[in-house]
Amino acid sequence: MTTAQAQATLYHDIPEARDVKVAIAGVDVHYGDKQALFDVSMQIPDRSVTAFIGPSGCGKSTFLRCVNRMNDTIDGAVVTGSLKIDGTEINDKTIDPVVLRASVGMVFQKPNPFPKSIYDNVAYGPKIHGLAATREELDGIVEQSLVKAGLWGEVSDRLTDPGTSLSGGQQQRLVIARAIAVNPEVILMDEPCSALDPIATAKVEELIDELRENYCIIMVTHSMAQAARVSQMTAFFHLGNLVEYGPTEEIFTNPRERRTQDYITGRFG
Amino acid sequence: MTQVSTHDHIVTSYGEELDDLADEIARMGGLVETQVIDALTAVVRRDASIAKTVRKREITVNAMQVDIEKKVIRLFALRQPMATDLRVTITALRLASDLERIGDLAKTIAYRAADLNSYPPLEVTQRIERLGNIVTRQLREVLDALSADNVEPAIRVWRNDDEVDEHYNSVIKEMLLLMSGDSSLVDPGAHILFVAKNLERIGDHCTNIAEAVHYQVTGDTLESVEAAAP
């Protein structure tokens, strides 16, 4: 912990309002000697979208990657503190990250479909996790996932085409279909629309809004307007600290911290 | 509540547009204050020339409201203001609307002043002057609160509206009494009643402005704060 940081401003109405899906307490992240996150604690509600905002290098993506143990893959990265999903500690070496990642799906900035058919992109996860016993069951999962991702109508007649043959926006929705095919609890999204045009962005945002009925979605975005449009809760990070976390409407109309206000209004900090 | 930032915008032109909006609101406020003072003077001093000037300046007041609306729409469309910038921008729209209404009421008072000149002077005009002085004080204080981003005087203005209402009611009572006693006073009395009513309406707009200032500065509505007060 550094001496400069202050306690994050948290709003009192967070915990009771909805069920907590992800509970984080006292998380520090070091990359070698460098500390990237300082004592982050927050409770992320289920069935809603929580947006992480902040300038580049503020630690928001680092923090997002803690939730599915992606930092394990980075040499020298050390995550300490408690991260619980539905009360189960996940920052624990006895938890298999591969199993964890089935329940915590991730969508990246650039759509990354496998070099396989549309069908196989979605079927891959359920197959390796043994979620379907028969071909019919697998077909059902693929269809349902593509329907949920709002892509079925556009691809149902060409499921054998390569996933990479789709447009950027369709690819991103394919990747989301792939993520939800394994019945995740939490979906992490790291700037999911930054490579998409406004129409494709609108479709993905509409999809995110529909998905929040069933999932806990945590999203990193550089677009303040997007955070305002799609999230119910917003967390502002700065220099590795969680500065303010509260209902999105309040953060964007009446933030309580000067640093939050300077950032979202586009002023020099 | 967040303090309004003293930091400059990274996009200079955006900061300039917000400053420009605040400047025009301040100018419009100043002009409208002059309108109210002059309209009241026209009634008190029976000066038809002032009434003419007030009516002419009303055109400028209206044009300013249109211009402020354009600026606000432009800011929303092109800058998508957030947090205090959002509050400043949306408040500008409310302020411009209230100021325009005050300007309109001042103009109507000026019309009545011209009409009143064709009747002998009435003693009740002194009470109109007192009511007008309270209302102009309310307007001045709330505009000062706006320019200083200060909620305290805004809250005071909001609470003082009762004083305006009391004076208004007593003017109405007295005028009605006079009119019922002397039918020759009915015609000028009707004008006096309208002047009093318009001044009282200006007082109401001052409370609207006080609410807008409170929201702009704190992000909370004045009603909610007053309701929560012990």
Side-chain angles (χ1 to χ4, degrees), chain A residues 224-225 228 251-258 261-262 264-269, chain B residues 1-10 14 82-87 218-219:
Chain A
M224 242 90 66
I251 298 278
F252 285 100
T253 57
N254 195 9
R256 299 181 190 181
E257 292 290 327
R258 172 77 162 271
Q261 172 167 299
D262 282 350
I264 66 176
T265 59
R267 286 180 160 84
F268 288 118
Chain B
M1 151 179 181
T2 0
Q3 284 176 295
V4 176
S5 185
T6 49
H7 292 136
D8 288 331
H9 265 279
I10 295 165
Y14 178 20
M82 297 277 194
T84 45
D85 296 339
L86 171 67
R87 304 205 301 262
T218 67

Side-chain angles (χ1 to χ4, degrees), chain A residues 195-264:
Chain A
L196 305 182
D197 70 46
I199 301 295
T201 296
K203 285 184 182 170
V204 171
E205 287 181 359
E206 168 70 8
L207 171 59
I208 291 169
D209 199 48
E210 285 168 11
L211 292 177
R212 79 176 161 91
E213 285 178 22
N214 297 305
Y215 303 97
C216 167
I217 297 170
I218 308 173
M219 183 170 77
V220 162
T221 177
H222 269 135
S223 162
M224 242 90 66
Q226 180 171 61
R229 284 193 300 264
V230 303
S231 73
Q232 288 71 53
M233 300 291 286
T234 296
F236 170 62
F237 289 84
H238 188 239
L239 300 174
N241 294 298
L242 173 64
V243 174
E244 186 164 355
Y245 171 50
T248 298
E249 194 180 324
E250 287 205 44
I251 298 278
F252 285 100
T253 57
N254 195 9
R256 299 181 190 181
E257 292 290 327
R258 172 77 162 271
R259 278 181 291 169
T260 314
Q261 172 167 299
D262 282 350
Y263 180 69
I264 66 176

Side-chain angles (χ1 to χ4, degrees), chain A residues 9-184:
Chain A
T9 294
L10 304 173
Y11 292 61
H12 296 299
D13 51 348
I14 294 171
E16 294 83 19
R18 303 185 191 89
D19 295 335
V20 172
K21 187 73 183 177
V22 185
I24 294 119
V27 166
D28 288 340
V29 177
H30 288 82
Y31 293 121
D33 294 339
K34 191 181 173 294
Q35 188 164 359
L37 274 180
F38 299 86
D39 192 25
V40 174
S41 299
M42 66 191 296
Q43 306 214 308
I44 298 175
D46 198 6
R47 294 169 201 277
S48 66
V49 180
T50 299
F52 291 176
I53 60 168
S56 295
C58 69
K60 58 189 188 296
S61 291
T62 295
F63 187 49
L64 190 75
R65 288 198 302 267
C66 291
V67 183
N68 68 347
R69 298 261 304 273
M70 288 264 290
N71 290 317
D72 286 14
T73 61
I74 299 169
D75 280 343
V78 178
V79 180
T80 55
S82 168
L83 286 127
K84 289 180 178 168
I85 296 179
D86 287 331
T88 304
E89 182 61 52
I90 58 154
N91 192 27
D92 181 335
K93 295 297 171 211
T94 63
I95 298 280
D96 181 356
V98 175
V99 175
L100 171 69
R101 283 171 207 150
S103 63
V104 185
M106 183 139 186
V107 176
F108 295 88
Q109 189 171 358
K110 278 180 76 178
N112 56 349
F114 300 139
K116 290 172 177 291
S117 70
I118 293 168
Y119 182 94
D120 285 338
N121 259 282
V122 183
Y124 185 80
K127 261 196 245 175
I128 62 162
H129 289 290
L131 298 181
T134 63
R135 175 75 189 195
E136 285 71 34
E137 269 181 52
L138 193 59
D139 287 352
I141 292 173
V142 169
E143 181 175 341
Q144 274 171 27
S145 306
L146 287 167
V147 167
K148 279 188 201 163
L151 197 57
W152 179 250
E154 291 161 61
V155 301
S156 61
D157 58 346
R158 50 178 177 136
L159 293 173
T160 53
D161 286 5
T164 49
S165 68
L166 298 171
S167 72
Q170 289 173 324
Q171 285 186 25
Q172 198 62 311
R173 283 182 282 144
L174 176 64
V175 170
I176 293 172
R178 187 178 70 191
I180 58 185
V182 292
N183 284 325

